[in-house]
Amino acid sequence: MVRKSRFGRRGSWRFSDTGTKFDGRPKPRQRSRQKPISPALKRDIIHCLRCGSRVVSNVDHCPFCGRSLSPVFARFWFWIIVVFVVAALVVWFINVNLPEESTSPSSPATPELPQVIGSASNSSLKSLSPGTTIDNSGLKVSVKSVEAGPVTASGAQVYITLVEFENTRDATTTLYSTQWMLETSAGVRLDTFVGSSEDGTTLSSNFEAHELSAQARFSGELYFALSAPVDADGTVIGETPVPKLIVYQPSALAYSEDLLVTWSASS
């Protein structure tokens, strides 16, 4: 019986497995094109996200593909976006939290059509008789009298109009003499007079921006000066006009001919 050599068993070592001198020099493994990196720098090695190359972390761009290696927060455009977003949030916060400002004035209030208080014969707002009262959105107004007063330093006749107010509103109301005019018999409307009389007394309406408290009353005087028309030589060339109507504009901020209230002022 022939025994198998122990060198013929499976997994046994053969001399042929070692090669011979005729097999030639062993071929080295294929090297990477990338240069080897010093072992001292291995802790600071990063990988490019585009090409995957190993790159030293202290460079700004990948030397193989050119991709930027700076972190997002270190880039200029990132901080531009952050500043823009923060500014937008600040503006939004201010707009949301600030109270809205009212553009309509609280005093004097823009009135609706005033209502005449009195008999049916005085229901119109035009040419009311002296003493008739109107209700101007809670401010009651009436012209009590129109009387001739002193003469100005220039010789014009002054007419004094006595006006009475009652504030039934819940807030203080401002009274303006600029809401009043005098219409003459010649059809001309005059503003209130501010000046002096022939004896040197100062003549000025005693309410301009007068604060009338809620539920309070006030009587004021208006001065209007009427003079005769004269030519260049100072000669009177016509009749001196006389008061015809006392004109009241309920809104101090918006003129409306339809809302005008007038009282008769014939002397």
Side-chain angles (χ1 to χ4, degrees):
M1 185 168 81
V2 180
R3 293 182 179 180
K4 292 184 179 181
S5 172
R6 63 172 181 162
F7 297 104
R9 294 178 182 176
R10 185 179 181 181
S12 62
W13 178 81
R14 295 175 181 270
F15 286 101
S16 60
D17 293 337
T18 62
T20 67
K21 65 180 180 178
F22 302 104
D23 293 336
R25 300 177 64 182
K27 296 181 180 181
R29 296 182 180 178
Q30 187 176 1
R31 296 182 178 181
S32 173
R33 295 180 182 179
Q34 183 174 333
K35 295 180 179 181
I37 300 175
S38 171
L41 299 175
K42 287 183 178 179
R43 294 182 180 179
D44 298 321
I45 299 303
I46 60 176
H47 289 82
C48 177
L49 297 178
R50 178 184 291 174
C51 65
S53 301
R54 295 191 303 163
V55 184
V56 180
S57 61
N58 62 349
V59 297
D60 295 332
H61 294 81
C62 176
F64 302 99
C65 66
R67 178 185 175 89
S68 175
L69 300 177
S70 300
V72 174
F73 60 84
R75 301 180 186 179
F76 178 75
W77 57 264
F78 174 81
W79 291 108
I80 292 294
I81 295 176
V82 170
V83 171
F84 178 79
V85 171
V86 171
L89 290 176
V90 170
V91 172
W92 174 82
F93 180 81
I94 293 175
N95 290 335
V96 169
N97 290 276
L98 283 181
E100 296 183 359
E101 296 183 1
S102 176
T103 56
S104 58
S106 58
S107 180
T110 302
E112 300 176 354
L113 189 67
Q115 301 296 319
V116 178
I117 301 175
S119 62
S121 60
N122 290 328
S123 60
S124 173
L125 294 172
K126 308 301 179 182
S127 301
L128 299 174
S129 59
T132 303
T133 302
I134 64 164
D135 187 351
N136 179 23
S137 301
L139 177 65
K140 295 181 180 180
V141 185
S142 62
V143 173
K144 293 300 184 180
S145 62
V146 181
E147 298 178 352
V151 176
T152 67
S154 61
Q157 178 63 55
V158 173
Y159 286 88
I160 304 173
T161 302
L162 181 63
V163 185
E164 185 177 276
F165 300 91
E166 181 182 359
N167 182 18
T168 62
R169 301 171 182 172
D170 295 330
T172 298
T173 298
T174 306
L175 307 178
Y176 294 95
S177 62
T178 51
Q179 290 176 257
W180 297 83
M181 293 179 292
L182 183 143
E183 184 173 321
T184 69
S185 55
V188 177
R189 289 178 180 173
L190 303 176
D191 293 326
T192 54
F193 173 77
V194 178
S196 60
S197 62
E198 57 184 354
D199 62 359
T201 303
T202 299
L203 301 176
S204 179
S205 303
N206 65 345
F207 63 93
E208 175 56 34
H210 176 79
E211 300 292 334
L212 181 59
S213 302
Q215 312 301 322
R217 288 175 177 268
F218 174 76
S219 294
E221 293 181 341
L222 300 169
Y223 293 90
F224 299 96
L226 282 73
S227 58
V230 295
D231 57 16
D233 298 330
T235 304
V236 177
I237 57 176
E239 295 183 358
T240 302
V242 294
K244 180 182 178 181
L245 296 172
I246 299 297
V247 183
Y248 172 63
Q249 170 59 37
S251 174
L253 302 177
Y255 179 86
S256 174
E257 191 74 21
D258 295 334
L259 291 179
L260 289 182
V261 182
T262 61
W263 285 265
S264 298
S266 300
S267 57

